[in-house]
Amino acid sequence: MKFAVTVCVLGTIFVLACEREQRDLQFPSEDTRRVPMIPVTDFHAGGSPPPPPVVKSPFEDNAYAMSEGKRLYSWYNCVGCHAHGGGGIGPALMDSTWIYGGRPEQIYASIVQGRPNGMPSFGQRLDDADRWRLVAYVQSMSGHVSSDAAPGRDDAMQTTVPESRRAQQPILFTGSQP
Amino acid sequence: MNMQSMLAPAGLQAAAIERLWWIFLIVTSLVFVAVIVALVAAIVRRNRDGGPSDRAAFRGVAAAVIATAVTLIGLITVDAFTARKLASLETDDRMVVNITGRQWWWDIEYQHPLPSMRVRTANELRLPVGRVVQINLQSADVIHSFWVPALHGKRDVIPGHANEIWLKADTPGRYRGQCAEFCGLQHAHMALTVIVEPQDKFAEWIAAQRQLGPSDASEQAARGRQIVERGPCSTCHTVRGTDAGGRVGPDLTHVSARQTIAAGTLPTSRENLRKWIDNPQHVKPGVRMPALGLSRDDIDAVVAYLGGTQ
Amino acid sequence: MSADPQPAQPTALDRERTELGATWAETPGWMGWLSAVDHKTIGRRFILTAIAFFALGGLLAVLMRLQLARPEQRLVDADLYNQLFTMHGSTMMFLFAVPVMEGLGIAMVPLMVGARAIAFPRLVAFGYWMFLFGGLFLWISFALNIGPDNGWFSYVPLAGPAYGAGKRADVWAQMITFTELSGLVVATSIIVTIFKYRAPGMSLDRMPIFAWSELVTAGMILIAMPAVMVASTALILDRLIATHFFNQAEGGDPLLWQHLFWFFGHPEVYIIFLPAQGMMSTLIQTFTGRPIYGYIALVLSLVSTGFIAFGLWVHHMFATGLPQVGESFFTAASMMIAIPSGLQIFCWIASIWRGRIQWKTPMLYALAYFFVFLVGGLTGVMLAAVSLDLQVHDTFFVVAHFHYVLIGGSIFPLFGALHYWFPKLTGRMLSERLGVIAFTLLFIGFNLTFFPMHQLGLLGMPRRVYTYPAGLGWEGLNLLATAGGALMALAVITYAINVVWALRRGTHAAANPWNAGTLEWATASPPPAYNFHPVLVVRGRDSVWTDPDPITVIGLSCARREVLITRVVDANLDHRFESPTPSIWPFITAIATSILFIGSIFTPWAVVWGSIPVAIGLIGWFWPGSKSAPQEPTGAVIRERLA
């Protein structure tokens, strides 16, 4: 009887193996040209809200993805316009203001399609895994992920508080009410 | 088969270390045999008289301890001489190569006073026979260790530290080195090919490396070049002479002239280039190069371009 | 004075023993099991738990060997392999080797020095729970995919915040805190037991050598373990709250980690090694039937090894580019430590020469030491030479070296000592036949596994690689090593079968089945809860041989748990002291501390809020009870009865 209970408990533990720590190395790559229709604003015509988008971030709260995203953020020169979140040529990514939406699928669309006034389209240049890793990292910049999964400080001169210690910012559109 | 063996030295320092190894092996083997003989004698001896007296035992043990101390001092001395030999290469007339260890490849840049004469390559180090080489080691991320057993011992590559290693290769040939400090998922596939060749062949090689990018004469190669410049490749890779100027991945200008790709994981061939570009994660899971989702034709075009010439 | 069969009439001694049995008894039931403070119980728990972790760590090794048997195999992927070797090393070093040596110390040292109890028994119980919880924490994390994957030494920057995603490295770092806290408290207890709980007349130079080895080891633990706790705490701080201990861009240095870790790491292997040297002296003395030759030399070797071990750590860092002059110092020190080890070997050979060998299983293990440890020690001398080390560092040559010294120098003596002390701790004899079979399998299997690794290192195979290419001459040797690994697994299984069989069907053991000379054999097998009654006075070394009818101490209370405290050097009587009774508070405090430790890898606030339950636990633990104050031994109360 005691043995059976132990086996059940251990079995449950194995099954609930931690999502945060998954390291997805064989992420299937998608055709880089296809991008689904993703609304960039919450405004909609009519009474009821539109159905939720079909695109879901595969790396929700995944620590490895965010850590890779942080590396890619420098590699693909996002720092060139967005600095380490404070913005410059481009808008800040660590605050609560989102011109084209701050939900994961909206960030994904912005990266893939590009945006007016200087955000290049990276669709041709990034595969799907890298896009979603960047999305996960950008979310962590405004504290929208669990602090266990968010990256710690990097091994460089410190520019700001590490992502794991940032308070969560609300997602606001320019011009919308909080 | 002995490309990575320290017992097949091809350079001054590795030879000195190999000599030291044989000295140590012989001395320690003699010590081992002596102790075992004493032990066996102690077991087998029929001690009708209770064995050696206190005095005899004391003398025996004391003699053994003194012999041990003397042997150790001798070994320390021999090691000190070898260490002197290993450090004896430093000279002004040397070739300088900067090697940056990255997860999981070796970023090699031959230095020159004129920046335009510098040559950047990856994972393959060509050295002229008999020339002293100073290798400056830096890390771009974690601790690695530069190790070519045929030439010298290893030197760790530590972020924030400017380590260097001086080498002199004396025997032409092809040797293999490998990262010797655990550095993450693909530490096992971070090898280095070292080719030691006569001075004139080396000069030829480095002149060829200074040439610009591969030929895009054929239609397929021209299309390949377009894909490299405008597609995902240029975000990370450089092909000199084109618009592709990414610095975070290996320089691909003369990739087909190298003997291996993916840091010693696959021998260079069109088929292997295709396999690699199609999905690097199948060959080296966790590597920093993503699976790009290029079509079969696109990959063929890129391979036709990059795999074109020297 | 062994436990003779009860005479027809119960004597005064028998009545006292019965009363003592009741006074020193454990409380029954679940609560009693969790509240145990008997050092023999806790020592057995330590040993059993450590052996369980040994088996788990061994399974991981089997998996690694299967993966490496053929080149470019895909049995185990890179991520899992990295976790395997990290868990194997961490389990073996932190959850098996040190705890089992400590466990034997806890179980045997009070018996050997003629004491009724161990010092601070509740602290020792707490130490056990912390060890158990730390081990469970590590292994459950492994099952949850949060197991560490950066090696048992966890170098930064790979384990740092930038490259160590998730909580894996934090789990490793906090496991360290658990196990080192456990080690520290047990070491404290052992030191005090040895200094103050020895039987009257057992001056330091009459103490068994195993007790000396445990004393030196405990002292080393006190100095070495804080270093690694500092290191692992600094790592957690870097990862959790962005300190810069190891960030070279802000003034830290990755090399700092290596210094801190190896300052602990090198003494750690001697912490594992020295008790085994004590076991060697014990086994050779008993199984040659004569007092060991060179007692003073052996003791001085242990002490000097303990000191010198702290001056060797940079030999793990010869390839990092440190200045040559500094490195030379560590070459010299690393070679010189061979002298005390050599002295011990020569004294043992002299002992064997002067005695008559009893060919029993424990002696086989002791003899195997000479063949196995000597190879490891000699390759260690090779590694001490910087020039040679630069080639073989971080290759399979080093793997071969340390397995030869650890298994030859510690595990072989340990298995022999477990076989030797099994009758004392359990009251049953192990089977000689199964013992010899297990030994033979282990000896052959071990050499088959690890000897080829020397050659692999010379041929250039680095460590911590999940696979290797064909064509470099490494295939055959790897296959051989894997085959040897299978034999070793068989050996361990045979030993386990022997233990299980003996516990059920083994012959009952007499008080002194090996006819040994030290004091633990002067009481029953297994000893009663109070160890000795009457407490014996010691008049020489190996008093069971030299003093068969000793003077005893009378007048200690049978109604309270009284122990006799003696002076440090010459063990003259000092005072009587009441040993703590069983208590649930060490267990509760351990639970509270575990919550604090585990919580603090997720948020720094856990240290604040978590200290409240810990405070409650400690308050409950130290709440003043009704124990009487230490009493002076007045002439009227304690008399030495002359024979």
Side-chain angles (χ1 to χ4, degrees):
Chain A
M1 173 59 191
K2 267 201 277 192
F3 179 67
V5 168
T6 320
V7 167
C8 285
V9 167
L10 286 178
T12 324
I13 289 177
F14 272 99
V15 162
L16 295 176
C18 206
E19 284 285 325
R20 180 187 70 230
E21 300 286 342
Q22 275 301 105
R23 274 133 168 93
D24 252 313
L25 303 180
Q26 302 287 348
F27 192 78
S29 68
E30 314 246 322
D31 186 340
T32 54
R33 279 168 285 255
R34 182 181 59 77
V35 177
M37 295 284 287
I38 296 172
V40 297
T41 168
D42 276 345
F43 297 128
H44 58 273
S48 54
V54 294
V55 184
K56 197 171 166 341
S57 166
F59 293 135
E60 203 86 59
D61 266 349
N62 183 281
Y64 183 69
M66 281 180 225
S67 166
E68 290 293 284
K70 186 163 179 169
R71 170 180 61 82
L72 295 171
Y73 189 83
S74 299
W75 276 24
Y76 297 147
N77 201 29
C78 313
V79 288
C81 294
H82 296 284
H84 285 281
I89 305 171
L93 296 177
M94 63 199 291
D95 63 0
S96 53
T97 310
W98 296 86
I99 304 174
Y100 298 101
R103 286 198 289 272
E105 62 277 8
Q106 291 165 332
I107 302 173
Y108 175 82
S110 297
I111 294 174
V112 170
Q113 296 165 344
R115 290 287 176 252
N117 294 326
M119 171 69 182
S121 148
F122 283 92
Q124 303 279 11
R125 291 177 174 270
L126 297 182
D127 79 316
D128 225 35
D130 279 356
R131 294 175 196 160
W132 284 111
R133 288 175 180 148
L134 281 166
V135 167
Y137 175 61
V138 169
Q139 281 191 282
S140 78
M141 289 169 89
S142 53
H144 273 280
V145 297
S146 139
S147 65
D148 300 336
R153 64 148 177 83
D154 52 354
D155 280 346
M157 289 178 68
Q158 293 303 284
T159 52
T160 176
V161 174
E163 294 78 359
S164 56
R165 304 195 55 75
R166 290 185 196 166
Q168 188 177 54
Q169 305 286 334
I171 297 179
L172 304 172
F173 289 93
T174 8
S176 67
Q177 300 297 317
Chain B
M1 173 134 147
N2 277 332
M3 286 196 301
Q4 204 166 318
S5 168
M6 64 166 264
L7 298 175
L12 176 82
Q13 289 122 323
I17 297 176
E18 197 225 0
R19 276 194 297 273
L20 189 70
W21 157 253
W22 289 115
I23 296 175
F24 267 75
L25 182 63
I26 292 171
V27 170
T28 51
S29 303
L30 288 172
V31 169
F32 180 75
V33 167
V35 174
I36 295 298
V37 163
L39 175 69
V40 170
I43 295 173
V44 162
R45 191 185 156 100
R46 304 259 177 276
N47 44 323
R48 294 171 214 97
D49 52 351
S53 65
D54 281 355
R55 200 133 148 261
F58 177 81
R59 280 205 295 257
V61 169
V65 170
I66 293 175
T68 308
V70 165
T71 311
L72 289 173
I73 293 175
L75 291 175
I76 294 176
T77 315
V78 180
D79 174 54
F81 276 114
T82 309
R84 279 247 307 259
K85 188 105 207 242
L86 296 184
S88 66
L89 272 187
E90 311 212 357
T91 167
D92 278 338
D93 173 30
R94 79 262 187 240
M95 184 172 83
V96 180
V97 182
N98 285 1
I99 296 188
T100 306
R102 297 177 188 269
Q103 282 178 321
W104 292 279
W105 58 284
W106 299 98
D107 190 354
I108 298 173
E109 194 178 44
Y110 288 80
Q111 296 303 295
H112 194 280
L114 278 176
S116 58
M117 297 285 270
R118 292 182 190 158
V119 167
R120 189 167 173 247
T121 178
N123 302 318
E124 188 170 283
L125 186 63
R126 290 217 186 202
L127 298 176
V129 177
R131 182 100 195 275
V132 173
V133 179
Q134 174 190 349
I135 299 184
N136 295 322
L137 296 166
Q138 281 177 352
S139 169
D141 36 43
V142 297
I143 300 181
H144 302 275
S145 191
F146 177 84
W147 185 40
V148 183
L151 296 181
H152 195 358
K154 50 189 65 79
R155 185 77 75 236
D156 282 355
V157 177
I158 304 174
H161 285 244
N163 279 347
E164 58 185 47
I165 186 169
W166 290 69
L167 298 177
K168 181 157 96 79
D170 292 318
T171 314
R174 186 173 155 209
Y175 310 102
R176 192 173 188 269
Q178 199 167 344
C179 172
E181 185 58 64
F182 178 64
C183 53
L185 282 169
Q186 286 297 331
H187 165 66
H189 287 128
M190 189 169 160
L192 179 71
T193 310
V194 177
I195 296 175
V196 178
E197 48 193 7
Q199 182 69 43
D200 50 351
K201 291 214 90 120
F202 174 77
E204 261 176 48
W205 173 81
I206 207 163
Q209 290 286 312
R210 288 184 181 127
Q211 301 303 314
L212 295 179
S215 146
D216 58 348
S218 78
E219 202 185 297
Q220 203 189 23
R223 203 171 126 246
R225 175 181 164 157
Q226 275 210 350
I227 297 173
V228 166
E229 281 177 330
R230 295 179 200 172
C233 316
S234 55
T235 41
C236 300
H237 292 287
T238 297
V239 179
R240 268 178 287 123
T242 71
D243 288 340
R247 302 272 311 170
V248 292
D251 186 309
L252 294 181
T253 315
H254 299 287
V255 63
S256 59
R258 300 203 272 265
Q259 303 211 348
T260 62
I261 55 172
T265 312
L266 293 171
T268 310
S269 72
R270 293 203 170 206
E271 194 41 54
N272 281 340
L273 272 172
R274 247 179 235 119
K275 196 165 139 187
W276 176 253
I277 297 173
D278 180 43
N279 194 343
Q281 301 294 327
H282 277 155
V283 180
K284 207 167 152 178
V287 73
R288 302 294 188 214
M289 174 163 160
L292 302 164
L294 293 178
S295 71
R296 189 89 223 164
D297 289 331
D298 284 349
I299 297 179
D300 284 341
V302 170
V303 172
Y305 174 57
L306 290 176
T309 71
Q310 281 292 348
Chain C
M1 303 203 40
S2 37
D4 308 309
Q6 296 291 332
Q9 284 271 27
T11 63
L13 207 55
D14 296 326
R15 280 196 296 276
E16 286 170 0
R17 284 183 179 152
T18 315
E19 196 186 348
L20 271 174
T23 309
W24 284 86
E26 303 279 349
T27 21
W30 272 107
M31 276 289 280
W33 193 84
L34 293 173
S35 318
V37 291
D38 185 340
H39 74 96
K40 300 178 287 298
T41 309
I42 299 177
R44 273 192 295 256
R45 282 182 192 171
F46 254 101
I47 295 170
L48 268 170
T49 312
I51 301 280
F53 282 122
F54 173 71
L56 285 172
L59 266 170
L60 298 180
V62 168
L63 282 171
M64 286 197 284
R65 281 296 352 142
L66 284 173
Q67 163 67 10
L68 290 180
R70 309 294 316 143
E72 294 293 354
Q73 271 206 125
R74 297 268 172 133
L75 219 66
V76 164
D77 68 2
D79 187 33
L80 181 58
Y81 190 87
N82 294 345
Q83 292 182 61
L84 287 180
F85 71 71
T86 306
M87 289 296 295
H88 171 77
S90 305
T91 301
M92 289 304 194
M93 296 298 278
F94 296 115
L95 301 179
F96 162 66
V98 175
V100 81
M101 297 302 178
E102 295 196 298
L104 263 174
I106 294 168
M108 300 310 306
V109 165
L111 288 169
M112 288 188 158
V113 301
R116 281 215 169 136
I118 199 169
F120 310 135
R122 292 180 184 177
L123 192 62
V124 176
F126 172 75
Y128 171 72
W129 295 119
M130 291 307 290
F131 157 56
L132 177 67
F133 295 156
L136 286 174
F137 170 57
L138 181 69
W139 275 83
I140 292 179
S141 302
F142 178 50
L144 289 177
N145 202 22
I146 324 177
D149 59 352
N150 291 309
W152 84 282
F153 51 94
S154 200
Y155 275 4
V156 295
L158 194 59
Y163 298 96
K167 291 294 173 189
R168 290 176 169 184
D170 302 281
V171 164
W172 178 88
Q174 205 61 298
M175 175 276 297
I176 299 277
T177 315
F178 275 95
T179 51
E180 308 315 2
L181 180 60
S182 164
L184 283 170
V185 301
V186 171
T188 312
S189 199
I190 289 184
I191 292 176
V192 175
T193 308
I194 289 177
F195 277 159
K196 298 296 286 181
Y197 276 53
R198 299 198 308 279
M202 185 185 275
S203 52
L204 281 175
D205 68 333
R206 291 174 180 171
M207 198 167 70
I209 293 191
F210 179 69
W212 271 107
S213 69
E214 286 283 337
L215 177 66
V216 175
T217 303
M220 290 177 73
I221 288 177
L222 285 186
I223 304 188
M225 293 207 169
V228 76
M229 284 177 88
V230 164
S232 70
T233 306
L235 180 64
I236 294 181
L237 288 174
D238 263 22
R239 291 173 59 88
L240 195 62
I241 61 170
T243 50
H244 299 288
F245 290 102
F246 309 116
N247 181 3
Q248 37 83 20
E250 289 279 3
D253 195 343
L255 225 49
L256 174 65
W257 170 266
Q258 295 191 31
H259 280 291
L260 283 173
F261 183 80
W262 289 118
F263 181 78
F264 150 79
H266 192 80
E268 155 89 342
V269 307
Y270 284 91
I271 287 168
I272 297 169
F273 177 64
L274 287 184
Q277 305 314 290
M279 291 172 202
M280 280 293 288
S281 292
T282 311
L283 295 176
I284 289 181
Q285 167 163 305
T286 302
F287 291 96
T288 55
R290 263 186 88 156
I292 196 91
Y293 175 78
Y295 178 94
I296 304 273
L298 289 167
V299 169
L300 288 178
S301 296
L302 289 170
V303 173
S304 58
T305 305
F307 276 101
I308 302 176
F310 281 92
L312 303 189
W313 82 91
V314 175
H315 70 218
H316 298 271
M317 298 165 62
F318 279 156
T320 55
L322 295 171
Q324 208 183 336
V325 169
E327 292 186 342
S328 317
F329 168 80
F330 288 94
T331 294
S334 306
M335 295 241 198
M336 285 320 184
I337 201 167
I339 294 179
S341 303
L343 177 56
Q344 293 193 70
I345 291 180
F346 304 139
C347 287
W348 293 329
I349 292 181
S351 301
I352 293 174
W353 212 312
R354 285 148 53 97
R356 292 184 61 86
I357 295 186
Q358 257 191 81
W359 290 95
K360 296 283 166 119
T361 304
M363 189 58 176
L364 293 178
Y365 280 108
L367 287 174
Y369 167 101
F370 290 96
F371 292 85
V372 181
F373 172 76
L374 199 49
V375 172
L378 292 171
T379 54
V381 165
M382 293 175 178
L383 288 167
V386 178
S387 318
L388 203 42
D389 184 69
L390 287 180
Q391 280 281 32
V392 290
H393 166 68
D394 242 306
T395 66
F396 267 80
F397 189 90
V398 178
V399 176
H401 158 73
F402 67 70
H403 282 94
Y404 265 83
V405 285
L406 279 174
I407 298 186
S410 293
I411 304 307
F412 272 89
L414 173 72
F415 281 9
L418 287 175
H419 201 111
Y420 173 67
W421 275 316
F422 189 86
K424 181 53 58 181
L425 288 174
T426 65
R428 305 279 189 144
M429 299 294 291
L430 283 169
S431 150
E432 247 326 281
R433 208 152 126 237
L434 280 178
V436 172
I437 294 175
F439 165 78
T440 315
L441 284 172
L442 187 64
F443 187 79
I444 297 177
F446 168 79
N447 280 294
L448 204 58
T449 310
F450 291 103
F451 199 80
M453 293 188 184
H454 292 111
Q455 183 66 6
L456 276 173
L458 296 173
L459 288 178
M461 182 169 178
R463 287 172 77 172
R464 303 166 186 141
V465 289
Y466 78 100
T467 186
Y468 55 93
L472 289 171
W474 300 344
E475 301 90 314
L477 295 166
N478 270 298
L479 196 55
L480 206 57
T482 304
L487 275 182
M488 284 181 77
L490 267 177
V492 173
I493 292 174
T494 310
Y495 204 119
I497 292 176
N498 195 355
V499 169
V500 170
W501 174 89
L503 287 173
R504 293 192 176 173
R505 299 251 182 99
T507 3
H508 287 275
N512 194 354
W514 310 111
N515 194 25
T518 41
L519 220 46
E520 75 268 27
W521 303 102
T523 181
S525 301
Y530 48 85
N531 290 351
F532 296 94
H533 186 67
V535 173
L536 305 174
V537 174
V538 168
R539 293 187 283 192
R541 274 180 219 159
D542 309 315
S543 47
V544 169
W545 283 342
T546 56
D547 193 9
D549 192 18
I551 299 176
T552 62
V553 173
I554 60 171
L556 285 178
S557 165
C558 296
R560 291 195 309 272
R561 295 182 173 220
E562 277 196 347
V563 290
L564 205 51
I565 307 293
T566 55
R567 303 246 166 82
V568 175
V569 177
D570 52 11
N572 283 337
L573 297 175
D574 198 75
H575 60 269
R576 285 145 53 184
F577 180 69
E578 188 161 347
S579 185
T581 51
S583 163
I584 192 70
W585 287 104
F587 177 74
I588 294 177
T589 312
I591 300 254
T593 317
S594 303
I595 294 174
L596 190 160
F597 283 168
I598 297 177
S600 61
I601 66 177
F602 293 101
T603 163
W605 284 106
V607 180
V608 174
W609 300 116
S611 43
I612 296 174
V614 174
I616 294 173
L618 289 173
I619 291 170
W621 183 338
F622 292 105
W623 196 262
S626 58
K627 289 201 277 291
S628 49
Q631 295 178 12
E632 288 295 321
T634 64
V637 177
I638 293 191
R639 293 190 299 282
E640 292 183 5
R641 183 182 64 214
L642 296 173

